[in-house]
Amino acid sequence: MGDQRVGLGIDFHRLDPSRPLILGGVTIPHDQGLLGHSDADVLTHAICDALLGAAGLGDIGVHFPDSDKQYRGASSLGLLSQVVAKLRESDLAPRNIDATLIAERPKLAPHFDAMRDKLSPVLGLDPDRVGLKATTSEGMGALGRGEGMGAMAVALIGRDSPDPCT
Ligand code: MG
């Protein structure tokens, strides 16, 4: 099996009518987008945190602080690319991702293929190793009232080179 590690990432962002909605690097037609210092791509942020957590490298706020002007409006796919590069410095690479978006609307499933097409090359994974799902909060709580969106992700990572002992 070699050295394999699992990590968990969770993120939330508020919705705001002045912003575009960007999820998994894809701009999705909607009347609101997510508010944040970067492009506020909640899905990509959860994936970044899952990868960093698996590698024992802290979280996205440590590496890309929102006090740093260079990350203002930053593409979260670019941040993800930097996270994957940080893993590679330790000879670690993503093995697979599984993520769930939490949003009342719009329907997100029609956009999953486009999101996978954006995320998988950055992760260095085949698209079938990037699991994407969505759920609503059934109207309960802040997410259920449509005040924001959330995302949860798990990542499995492993050593880049195969272990000759296995
Ligand atoms: Mg975030």
Side-chain angles (χ1 to χ4, degrees):
M1 289 276 282
D3 182 10
Q4 298 198 95
R5 311 172 190 186
V6 67
L8 169 69
I10 301 177
D11 195 30
F12 301 94
H13 282 267
R14 287 180 179 276
L15 280 158
D16 184 284
S18 72
R19 300 266 297 186
L21 179 61
I22 299 169
L23 295 172
V26 175
T27 302
I28 293 169
H30 193 45
D31 55 0
Q32 301 182 81
L34 296 169
L35 201 55
H37 187 69
S38 67
D39 65 7
D41 182 339
V42 69
L43 171 61
T44 303
H45 290 183
I47 293 171
C48 285
D49 264 357
L51 291 168
L52 289 168
L57 290 172
D59 66 26
I60 196 170
V62 172
H63 295 276
F64 313 109
D66 61 12
S67 55
D68 191 330
K69 283 199 185 87
Q70 71 171 302
Y71 301 119
R72 188 163 184 178
S75 157
S76 296
L77 282 184
L79 303 183
L80 180 61
S81 172
Q82 291 184 55
V83 166
V84 172
K86 287 175 196 292
L87 263 60
R88 290 207 191 284
E89 287 170 17
S90 305
D91 292 323
L92 292 164
R95 296 279 194 245
N96 82 295
I97 302 290
D98 185 33
T100 300
L101 278 154
I102 307 161
E104 287 304 302
R105 60 186 191 91
K107 286 261 179 255
L108 297 172
H111 304 285
F112 285 164
D113 284 346
M115 293 181 200
R116 257 190 292 269
D117 284 348
K118 293 277 190 182
L119 291 166
S120 56
V122 179
L123 290 160
L125 291 173
D126 291 337
D128 68 356
R129 287 181 177 251
V130 181
L132 298 177
K133 309 179 301 298
T135 185
T136 72
S137 299
E138 298 281 340
M140 294 182 288
L143 297 183
R145 290 190 295 273
E147 294 174 19
M149 291 184 180
M152 299 188 189
V154 289
L156 186 71
I157 65 171
R159 294 273 165 211
D160 230 354
S161 48
D163 184 345
C165 299
T166 57

